[in-house]
Amino acid sequence: MNYKNSLTNPIFGVISKSAEELGYDCYVVGGFVRDLILNLGAKKDIDIVAVGSGIELAKRVSKNLPNNPNVQIFKTYGTAMIKFEGVDLEFVGARKESYSEDSRNPSVEDGTLEEDQNRRDFTINAMAISLNIASYGQILDPFDGIKDLKLKCIKTPLDPTITYSDDPLRMLRAIRFASQLDFSIETNSLKAIKNQSKRVQIITNERINIELQKILKCKKPSIGFLLLEKTGLLDYILPELAALKGVDEVEGQKHKDNFYHTLEVLDNISKHTENVWLRWAALLHDIGKAPTKKFSKKVGWTFHGHELEGSKMVYHLFKRLKMPLNEKMKYVQKLIFMSSRPIVIAQENITDSAVRRLVFDAGEQIQDLMTLCEADITTKNKYKFNKYHNNFKLVREKIVEVEERDRVRHFQPPISGKIIMEAFGLGPSKKIGIIKEYIKESILEGIIPNDSEKAFELMLKKGTELGLTIANEK
Ligand code: ATP
Ligand code: MG
């Protein structure tokens, strides 16, 4: 098969000409070729391998391009990158690699195209398309990657045990590609990953996190997390989640398996949001259940305080995985901390004041919190399923109503401390705080609307009760 007509980006012509000038052979390899054959649309990062110096080729390509785009050189890796018209071009010289036991960074020597293809992680990632003038567009597929694309199979070119042991990051990549492409991992590969799962410990947490984020962004992220569990990798990289596995039974009373429940919630939410942080919240929303689990004869299994416990655990988990400890983390923590609130409201009479308090506490995150709670409905009982969804629909309607009236989502006190001080001719005093809190509570309870005139009246009343005198009556 010739892929000449599929290489529609004119950049390939420029690369071909540049390699010819230098007397190098050169090929486009890896993910670009894979996604091209899968018809996934043009990939924005393109890997080019040169039988020669990747850095020299990049420099020549830049010279031959209009405006000579900047060449970023990574000397230690022998690679170079050019960003041009929305694509990232990565250049590397063909190479041979050998690994040592304690590191995933190999020692590297120049090599042939075949040697370069041997060092690649999967058959579907080892295909190359020629950019040489004489064979332009021809595919070089030594491990029958095309067949594995058809079979939807992730397989290593060489012995899987050695491939994964050399660079254990490949175990995570296998699972990530399985999840992204909805492929299965070939049996021997899966066995090799299981046997060596503990070698994932030599991978830096940053790299682990990159793969986890990619799995989370998939259409159906449970594919990846189930594989992480099945291979034992989850125990090392997300022990908090692994701890949710299993069903305990005491005196005939069981609780649900919170690991599988979590994955259902995650798949549910992924149908409604691309926001990866909301997906993180779904993934972690029940992690507090493992440390808070208790059994009592009277009430059966309980997980009291799991929301607070879970939100605290997020900090340690984010820190360990080198994730940002900023407002993204706080957002995840807040959603987990509040994750049962709408459920409690929906179970009881949905009162205005309960909804107003929910909106006040959730603030900006109210809609995401509702999305999380709806995704959390995993009951297989049709009657209950519909009932819970209907209840949440009512809560959502009430949120709109209450917001129109009282606007508590971005609550600003209708009466400032300054107004209170002026009204009673006071300096700074504790009583100002008491009055402000009283007004806020009265608005949330629905005793007065969120309106400055009504709040002013209430302030005069409360101040008088506290023994203050109105200034103009002094
Ligand atoms: P994507 O960019 O969608 O993640 P990709 O296949 O382009 O997919 P990259 O990480 O960009 O993946 O790597 C480019 C190519 O380099 C891969 O297709 C593969 O051939 C090779 N490769 C990357 N990482 C490894 C690794 N750890 N071991 C062996 N080969 C690798
Ligand atoms: Mg890539």
Side-chain angles (χ1 to χ4, degrees):
M1 174 102 185
N2 192 295
Y3 287 89
K4 198 194 268 173
N5 296 331
S6 307
L7 301 176
T8 48
N9 192 330
I11 191 80
F12 289 114
V14 178
I15 297 170
S16 177
K17 177 173 165 253
S18 307
E20 174 81 8
E21 285 171 11
L22 293 169
Y24 294 167
D25 278 350
C26 99
Y27 305 84
V28 51
V29 284
F32 181 89
V33 179
R34 180 194 68 226
D35 288 2
L36 180 82
I37 297 171
L38 285 174
N39 256 325
L40 292 179
K43 203 162 156 36
K44 296 282 178 227
D45 59 310
I46 302 177
D47 292 290
I48 303 292
V49 66
V51 185
S53 159
I55 294 172
E56 288 310 311
L57 178 59
K59 286 184 186 162
R60 180 62 67 108
V61 169
S62 165
K63 213 174 131 199
N64 286 335
L65 280 172
N67 304 324
N68 314 118
N70 183 39
V71 182
Q72 225 182 322
I73 294 173
F74 306 93
K75 246 203 171 130
T76 15
Y77 299 103
T79 61
M81 176 139 117
I82 297 177
K83 286 179 184 291
F84 182 72
E85 293 183 347
V87 297
D88 290 355
L89 296 162
E90 178 127 11
F91 296 85
V92 64
R95 61 200 204 186
K96 201 159 71 176
E97 293 181 340
S98 52
Y99 287 84
S100 61
E101 175 69 13
D102 55 342
S103 162
R104 60 169 295 262
N105 299 317
S107 54
V108 176
E109 286 170 62
D110 290 346
T112 62
L113 174 71
E114 293 76 39
E115 282 164 338
D116 192 278
Q117 284 174 301
N118 285 343
R119 73 169 179 91
R120 294 189 178 261
D121 48 6
F122 307 114
T123 59
I124 59 168
N125 284 348
M127 296 177 281
I129 294 177
S130 166
L131 299 178
N132 307 317
I133 290 173
S135 54
Y136 194 84
Q138 251 174 42
I139 187 149
L140 293 108
D141 180 15
F143 308 107
D144 225 347
I146 291 190
K147 186 179 105 201
D148 288 333
L149 282 181
K150 285 194 188 121
L151 294 173
K152 301 179 114 205
C153 180
I154 310 277
K155 192 174 158 187
T156 58
L158 307 178
D159 178 350
T161 303
I162 297 169
T163 306
Y164 293 117
S165 172
D166 277 351
D167 176 5
L169 179 67
R170 293 168 182 160
M171 304 193 284
L172 296 176
R173 285 174 58 89
I175 291 174
R176 187 254 291 185
F177 284 119
S179 200
Q180 284 178 326
L181 301 170
D182 195 8
F183 276 28
S184 49
I185 299 176
E186 184 250 351
T187 324
N188 288 328
S189 246
L190 205 58
K191 270 191 210 150
I193 297 175
K194 259 187 205 162
N195 289 337
Q196 314 190 57
S197 56
K198 70 167 184 300
R199 274 187 67 71
V200 77
Q201 293 172 101
I202 71 164
I203 307 290
T204 63
N205 281 308
E206 286 90 341
R207 298 304 300 241
I208 292 175
N209 179 34
I210 290 172
E211 296 303 322
L212 281 177
Q213 300 272 15
K214 288 189 177 177
I215 295 174
L216 266 179
K217 285 180 185 162
C218 290
K219 199 169 159 211
K220 195 173 175 205
S222 66
I223 298 174
F225 287 99
L226 284 171
L227 284 167
L228 289 174
E229 192 275 318
K230 197 171 163 184
T231 51
L233 287 165
L234 197 69
D235 294 336
Y236 297 105
I237 65 179
L238 282 176
E240 299 87 348
L241 204 60
L244 295 182
K245 269 184 308 180
V247 178
D248 286 323
E249 181 168 353
V250 178
E251 297 177 0
Q253 300 206 57
K254 290 187 199 172
H255 61 78
K256 67 180 169 218
D257 185 309
N258 284 303
F259 176 67
Y260 293 106
H261 162 71
T262 292
L263 296 191
E264 267 188 75
V265 177
L266 179 60
D267 282 349
N268 283 345
I269 211 158
S270 302
K271 288 178 202 139
H272 298 284
T273 182
E274 299 288 323
N275 175 355
V276 75
W277 302 106
L278 184 49
R279 292 181 179 200
W280 269 110
L283 182 71
L284 304 180
H285 82 286
D286 269 350
I287 51 173
K289 281 191 172 172
T292 57
K293 179 160 78 176
K294 282 205 174 64
F295 181 82
S296 84
K297 282 191 175 178
K298 242 187 182 165
V299 287
W301 292 102
T302 60
F303 305 91
H304 287 311
H306 76 85
E307 302 88 349
L308 177 61
E309 183 63 28
S311 67
K312 284 188 199 158
M313 288 163 75
V314 167
Y315 172 77
H316 299 284
L317 192 151
F318 269 47
K319 194 158 183 229
R320 187 182 74 234
L321 289 177
K322 303 283 189 291
M323 301 218 278
L325 302 175
N326 57 11
E327 77 284 354
K328 303 286 185 218
M329 178 190 72
K330 289 194 189 125
Y331 164 90
V332 174
Q333 286 182 310
K334 183 169 177 181
L335 287 176
I336 295 174
F337 178 59
M338 292 194 70
S339 59
S340 300
R341 286 275 300 276
I343 301 171
V344 176
I345 293 177
Q347 277 165 352
E348 295 164 2
N349 268 340
I350 304 168
T351 64
D352 280 13
S353 58
V355 171
R356 215 178 283 114
R357 279 184 188 282
L358 175 72
V359 177
F360 177 78
D361 289 338
E364 200 65 60
Q365 278 77 48
I366 184 67
Q367 296 302 334
D368 290 350
L369 180 64
M370 292 305 296
T371 305
L372 176 60
C373 287
E374 281 158 347
D376 204 0
I377 304 173
T378 60
T379 173
K380 301 292 167 286
N381 176 322
K382 262 237 153 79
Y383 169 77
K384 281 190 184 168
F385 182 89
N386 289 333
K387 188 175 115 186
Y388 296 159
H389 271 284
N390 275 334
N391 285 350
F392 281 135
K393 208 172 134 224
L394 291 179
V395 175
R396 282 203 191 252
E397 283 166 14
K398 258 279 182 300
I399 289 171
V400 175
E401 246 175 61
V402 160
E403 259 309 88
E404 268 174 14
R405 201 180 87 127
D406 289 328
R407 306 167 316 276
V408 291
R409 187 184 303 206
H410 307 283
F411 186 79
Q412 289 296 330
I415 294 290
S416 67
K418 188 161 167 272
I419 295 177
I420 303 173
M421 290 199 275
E422 278 170 12
F424 295 107
L426 274 178
S429 123
K430 215 173 151 188
K431 288 182 177 167
I432 297 162
I434 298 174
I435 296 172
K436 280 181 82 174
E437 184 63 18
Y438 184 73
I439 294 171
K440 186 192 91 189
E441 280 297 314
S442 303
I443 293 168
L444 291 179
E445 275 306 306
I447 296 164
I448 60 161
N450 186 3
D451 151 334
S452 54
E453 209 173 297
K454 290 280 185 302
F456 195 82
E457 280 170 26
L458 197 71
M459 170 202 77
L460 293 179
K461 185 169 150 265
K462 185 67 185 172
T464 317
E465 266 173 44
L466 290 172
L468 299 174
T469 328
I470 297 166
N472 57 14
E473 288 179 0
K474 271 182 188 170

